[in-house]
Amino acid sequence: TVGFIGGIRYLNQMKMLVDAAEQINIKVLFAGAGGTETDYKQILKYCEGKKDVIFTGKYDYGNEITKLYESVDCVFAVYDADNSNVRIALPNKLYESVVCELPLIVAKSTYLSELVDKWDIGISINHTSTDELMLALKKLRDDRLYYNKLCENCKKIKKKFDVRIYDSKLKEIIDA
């Protein structure tokens, strides 16, 4: 199961996910509402009759986020890389995926893809290529050694996200 957890927007990429997953018999979980009500209605309509696409709707972050991440095998974070903000943004999905030790699929030519590739915690694809997405999903599904390596790398990287490290460094700067 590949999951998109968060505000549903970038409809072309969401549709690409649905199309790729359907072609190779992979389940999709959409957790969250739309960036706009229109976005949400459009993706719901696009997925009508698709038995392997699940929508949870809005969720309570504090109470449900762990369960949502536990219900997926990888995280879809491919956004429209033609958008200049997307090219430099680091979404919460990066940190959440690492903490949950789940590989990410992200858009090439973004700062997010630079980190994902550098840390070796996922796969970067062209944000308009259903074929590249299908290959990435197949690799994650079929190559267990590769998948486990990405999960292990997430485990190693998450140690760097320990807030106590940042608090300690901040205290050093303030006390200097």
Side-chain angles (χ1 to χ4, degrees):
T1 301
V2 58
F4 182 86
I5 300 170
I8 297 171
R9 54 188 195 268
Y10 306 113
L11 288 177
N12 289 336
Q13 284 68 40
M14 300 303 114
K15 290 175 181 179
M16 184 175 81
L17 171 59
V18 170
D19 294 343
E22 184 176 41
Q23 289 182 50
I24 58 173
N25 291 327
I26 288 180
K27 293 180 181 174
V28 176
L29 172 75
F30 285 109
T36 68
E37 187 68 24
T38 304
D39 289 345
Y40 195 68
K41 286 180 181 176
Q42 284 184 31
I43 196 66
L44 277 174
K45 183 174 180 164
Y46 189 78
C47 295
E48 281 179 3
K50 297 182 188 302
K51 62 179 176 53
D52 287 332
V53 180
I54 301 158
F55 287 87
T56 67
K58 291 181 181 179
Y59 57 87
D60 179 314
Y61 188 91
N63 292 319
E64 298 177 75
I65 197 67
T66 301
K67 183 178 177 187
L68 290 170
Y69 276 103
E70 287 174 345
S71 67
V72 301
D73 300 295
C74 67
V75 176
F76 184 76
V78 176
Y79 307 127
D80 183 355
D82 293 330
N83 178 312
S84 58
N85 187 55
V86 167
R87 288 193 300 272
I88 61 171
L90 291 179
N92 287 342
K93 282 177 201 60
L94 169 65
Y95 309 105
E96 293 165 347
S97 297
V98 167
V99 168
C100 295
E101 300 173 16
L102 292 170
L104 289 123
I105 301 172
V106 300
K108 288 179 180 173
S109 303
T110 63
Y111 183 51
L112 177 58
S113 71
E114 284 182 39
L115 293 179
V116 166
D117 293 345
K118 176 182 172 184
W119 296 340
D120 199 16
I121 58 172
I123 300 174
S124 298
I125 65 161
N126 180 303
H127 70 283
T128 62
S129 176
T130 303
D131 289 338
E132 282 189 32
L133 178 54
M134 283 191 307
L135 289 172
L137 290 169
K138 283 180 187 178
K139 186 165 180 74
L140 291 170
R141 179 190 65 195
D142 299 339
D143 187 341
R144 298 313 295 172
L145 289 175
Y146 179 72
Y147 177 85
N148 290 336
K149 177 186 80 161
L150 297 178
C151 294
E152 188 61 33
N153 289 341
C154 286
K155 188 176 189 175
K156 291 174 186 172
I157 290 298
K158 82 176 178 180
K159 293 174 186 172
K160 293 182 180 184
F161 295 160
D162 187 338
V163 73
R164 293 171 294 192
I165 294 169
Y166 295 103
D167 287 348
S168 175
K169 289 180 181 178
L170 181 59
K171 185 172 180 346
E172 287 174 24
I173 291 168
I174 292 171
D175 290 343

